[in-house]
Amino acid sequence: YEPVFDSSTSVLYLNHLILYECQGLSPDLEQLSRQRGQPCFRLQPMHCNTVVANWARGSDGFTFPPEAGYPLESHQATYYMLETHYNYPDYTYDFSPFYRKNLSKQQRNMNIKSREETAETPAEDSEPRATDEDLADDSDDSIAMEQQMVDNSGLKLYYTHRLRQHDAGVLSVGLDPNWRHIIPPRQEKVVSQGHCIGACTQHAFPRDGINIFAVMSRTHLIGRQVQLRQIRGNTELQPIMRDTNIDPSYQDYRRLAVPTRVLPGDSLVAECIYDSSSRKSITLGGMTTREEICLILTLYYPRQRELTSCHSLPSLPTVLHSLGIEELAS
């Protein structure tokens, strides 16, 4: 599959696209299929939690290996849901270093340039100054961009009737995006972990295990390092993946040189390291870019249907205790 951008303007706003498979034939799904869509946070929980395809900024899409493919089964899934996340590209909070200096390959192919590239380079002995006219121009540009923000971007999926040896699946491991994931401010290194415990894999995985062949790590703006750890019994094996230089503008599936086998009973730990030294207040977990996430999407075969998301979350008493709250008023 690959991304399809509606225009050179919309690609500046797109953060990521996720295509979900929906199970069942409920009246709610039928009704939603006849609508034009709605904001993600207003959508009621549905049976659409199996990831089919995922695009994030910097990615060109993904091609499955010759031995595996994702099954499109009409008798299992009648509906699919596309979730699209946007960001305002000139938002000055934290975005400018990433959106303006790390333009994705798609942007370069579409001849989209950052403001630094389009602006006239000042002489070495001069000091650039923002005038009232410059600020007015920026404001007009922002208004024009907002008026143009009608987007029909999506994903193009390629399929074949010649089935491959293995059906592939997607397993998400990490911390559930929730406010209980708390990152304190002014810290150069904060470690967060999401656990997929052995009891879950023991119940869900086939007897011979699964083979992970590609991974995508996902954090937001203050993520710096991510690794996927594998524990078998009392022994920790080599990490399935490790990235010590996270870039929010480049989050793509990365193929493993050799597929890693994960057996029933193995534990998986998604570990994310953040640098919050630039933040003045706590950062909470959540889906907006101001918040943070710690997720690793794994592509594997053979597909199993019992476990599509394996996330953990600190308990409420643990969070309250860490904040110094011993008792809540009734």
Side-chain angles (χ1 to χ4, degrees), residues 228-230 236-241 260:
L228 180 59
R229 299 164 59 185
Q230 181 181 7
E236 180 165 357
L237 309 180
Q238 289 293 319
I240 297 175
M241 65 81 64
T260 298

Side-chain angles (χ1 to χ4, degrees), residues 21 72 106 117 125 178-179 202 207 260 312:
E21 179 181 297
L72 299 176
Q106 291 86 1
E117 293 173 326
D125 57 351
N178 187 283
W179 69 267
Q202 182 71 52
R207 182 178 59 183
T260 298
S312 65

